[in-house]
Amino acid sequence: MSIVAGVDFGTLSVRVSIFDSAKGRLGSGVAEYPLMRRKDDPDHATQSHAEHMRALAEATHRAVQSAGIDGRVIEAIALDTTGSSVIPVDANLNPLDDYYLWCDHRAWQEAAEITATAHARHLNAIEWCGGTYSSEWGFSKLLHWLRHNPEKRDRFATALEHCDMVAAVLCGISDPAAAPRSVCAMGHKWMWNASLGGLPADEFLTAVDRRFAGVRAKLNGSYSTSDQIAGHLTSAWAEKLGLRAGIPIPVGAFDAHWDAVGAGVRLGDVVNVVGTSTCIMAIGEQPSLIPGVCGVVPGSIHPKYTGIEAGLSATGDIFDAIARRAGTTVAELSRGLENLHAGETGLLRLTWDNGDRTVLVNPELGGATLGWRLTTTAQDELFAAIEGTAFHTRIILERMEEHGVPVHRIINGGGIPQKNPVLNRVYANVLGKPILVPDGDVTSLGSAIFAFLAAGSFRGIEEAQDALCPGYKTIAPEPAAVATYQDLYALYRRLYFGFGRRGSEAIHIGDILPELRRIAASARGGHSAGSAAS
């Protein structure tokens, strides 16, 4: 029997959970930190490193108290974070600025320049991240920072992902050359590829912008998968956290990747980690290029397999925005949502409110809703948004299957599926396959599994999953709803590719609004004044 701590840094809070190798979760603690947005710049999203570390200490003490244990019995601590959340630091790893959070899209122009230069120079690495570099990723954000902070450039020593920064701080690492570098973070967001020699060459980076001169060498460090140890907890941080000094800390990773492990991912599974955004995770035996998919990186999720990541730039954030505009909450707006049927609202929602992460990889897109009527309600829009995120997910899964990724089981992980049965039902019907939902809370379980590996408590990930992961609730597709969504999906897919790409071929759209009315009328039993079915 052993006890460890699993840490999950989310967009608005950090959660620390204490796990026993035999008993499972003993207790948890949560602490929040502010997200800095600007009304005059919707692409801006930053956070403070100091606030992150303050919240980590608070959440750890709360978790230990909740578990009813002495913190000094904890044998390892593992930490995952959002990503790509990037911080520039000086030669002693002191922050030069706040984090560019994962959802900061200010670097969309920089991303476009990186993409164009990569294709002009036939850079192989660009194909391994789907063919398009994103404004959500590391080099884009670093270039934006270098361009907009000339007074700080002379002190710039390196940039770190949040998961690597927090591990370095807890381990007392202050030398950039000794900083841990997560293969998960650097592979998916920085075009690091072991088979291609690591990071892109200096010649490529300086062709993008001369400010990148010397940056490749500054992004050095120890590149490792999460079954390796980043270091050991310092005495100073052990005192702040109420833990024992010297316990191991494995190399970190992104929250969605470890959430997939906590949800029980195996070969042939796809895990939709549905939260503020959606990350769609899978593992495969052989790496294979997938156009438009965020990244294909050996060792990023499971150290022995290739990790595949895709996703939606906003999911829960869209639901929250709809409720906020209506002057209410998602919980309140969801009351009675279960009574709506497939296609009943007459709306078709393109959920690009925060751009498109996969497969178009286009941050310039905006949300669009078709089919508004004078009687349409905010609840109708919420239901259509759930349908829209499911349609978008289907686009992604079909792209993955087309390129050799099997989708035998679909697991809805993350926080939203635990409390939103309507979403799970809609996903089952849109995807036409059973949806598995973990029968219990798995937040930070993935972190705990890697902490147990660091402590030597289990021989491998599968053994830990068998011991700790809960079973599943199964939501089966409903044939009538599946048929309705088949019709709606055909409309959605046509608009997704026709409306979402510059230079797309002309598409016929004159039938879409009448079709939405016909489908809505059918869902209501044929009762819809003025519909195409009347």
Side-chain angles (χ1 to χ4, degrees), residues 8-26:
D8 177 80
F9 278 93
T11 304
L12 298 174
S13 64
V14 59
R15 181 172 182 175
V16 179
S17 297
I18 311 299
F19 283 86
D20 183 292
S21 59
K23 299 177 183 178
R25 191 187 303 267
L26 300 179

Side-chain angles (χ1 to χ4, degrees), residues 7 10 16 35 68 72 89 98 112 187 228 239 244 308 319 347 427 489 530:
V7 181
V16 179
L35 167 61
R72 291 171 294 183
V89 297
D98 287 338
Q228 303 300 308
E239 183 176 353
R244 186 174 77 246
I308 302 155
F319 306 158
L347 301 177
Y427 276 49
Y489 178 67

Side-chain angles (χ1 to χ4, degrees), residues 124-485:
N124 287 336
I126 194 68
E127 305 304 334
W128 288 95
C129 56
T132 306
Y133 203 74
S134 171
S135 63
E136 293 186 0
W137 299 349
F139 278 119
S140 302
K141 290 174 175 174
L142 176 56
L143 182 53
H144 185 276
W145 185 85
L146 290 170
R147 286 175 170 175
H148 291 83
N149 293 275
E151 75 284 0
K152 300 178 183 178
R153 284 203 297 262
D154 62 341
R155 289 185 288 145
F156 171 75
T158 191
L160 289 170
E161 286 284 344
H162 186 193
C163 61
D164 295 331
M165 179 67 170
V166 68
V169 170
L170 294 180
C171 296
I173 298 169
S174 58
D175 178 4
R181 296 282 186 179
S182 165
V183 162
C184 170
M186 302 304 289
H188 283 285
K189 311 301 183 185
W190 293 79
M191 293 191 285
W192 182 88
N193 188 311
S195 68
L196 299 177
L199 294 168
D202 279 324
E203 291 80 5
F204 164 74
L205 293 173
T206 54
V208 175
D209 192 293
R210 59 179 176 76
R211 296 174 185 85
F212 269 149
V215 162
R216 188 182 193 275
K218 292 179 178 180
L219 295 174
N220 54 9
S222 177
Y223 284 71
S224 304
T225 51
S226 294
D227 56 345
Q228 303 300 308
I229 303 301
H232 296 81
L233 187 65
T234 66
S235 297
W237 273 101
E239 183 176 353
K240 291 177 184 179
L241 300 178
L243 307 181
R244 186 174 77 246
I247 61 174
I249 301 173
V251 174
F254 291 153
D255 49 3
H257 297 69
W258 281 7
D259 282 346
V261 171
V265 68
R266 300 290 175 97
L267 288 170
D269 293 345
V270 166
V271 180
N272 300 318
V273 183
V274 186
T276 54
S277 67
T278 294
C279 289
I280 298 174
M281 318 302 303
I283 56 176
E285 293 185 286
Q286 298 294 331
S288 178
L289 297 176
I290 307 174
V293 167
C294 301
V296 179
V297 179
S300 66
I301 299 174
H302 188 302
K304 295 181 179 179
Y305 297 111
T306 295
I308 302 155
E309 178 192 358
L312 284 64
S313 289
T315 304
D317 275 348
I318 295 175
F319 306 158
D320 287 339
I322 292 169
R324 186 172 61 253
R325 287 193 294 267
T328 185
T329 64
V330 174
E332 189 63 32
L333 200 57
S334 297
R335 295 183 187 275
L337 206 63
E338 68 278 2
N339 297 321
L340 293 178
H341 298 93
E344 180 180 344
T345 66
L347 301 177
L348 187 62
R349 185 73 153 75
L350 293 161
T351 50
W352 290 326
D353 301 49
N354 200 30
D356 183 289
R357 178 184 295 166
T358 314
V359 298
L360 301 175
V361 198
N362 187 349
E364 297 182 69
L365 297 176
T369 305
L370 286 78
W372 290 101
R373 306 289 302 277
L374 292 175
T375 55
T376 300
T377 67
Q379 186 175 73
D380 291 333
E381 187 189 3
L382 177 60
F383 190 73
I386 293 172
E387 292 175 324
T389 62
F391 291 141
H392 194 165
T393 299
R394 181 169 169 177
I395 292 274
I396 294 167
L397 297 191
E398 288 181 352
R399 176 64 61 91
M400 292 168 65
E401 288 183 297
E402 288 166 3
H403 291 270
V405 179
V407 182
H408 299 320
R409 297 197 309 174
I410 300 174
I411 302 169
N412 271 7
I416 290 179
Q418 291 289 325
K419 55 191 177 186
N420 194 324
V422 172
L423 180 138
N424 298 318
R425 187 192 81 208
V426 169
Y427 276 49
N429 292 330
V430 167
L431 301 176
K433 291 184 178 182
I435 294 295
L436 305 182
V437 180
D439 194 14
D441 183 8
V442 296
T443 303
S444 61
L445 175 54
S447 298
I449 286 173
F450 282 97
F452 279 123
L453 295 183
S457 306
F458 295 101
R459 290 171 293 182
I461 287 176
E462 289 78 9
E463 184 179 71
Q465 287 174 320
D466 288 341
L468 297 166
C469 292
Y472 301 102
K473 295 174 284 190
T474 301
I475 295 87
E478 303 157 329
V482 171
T484 297
Y485 281 134

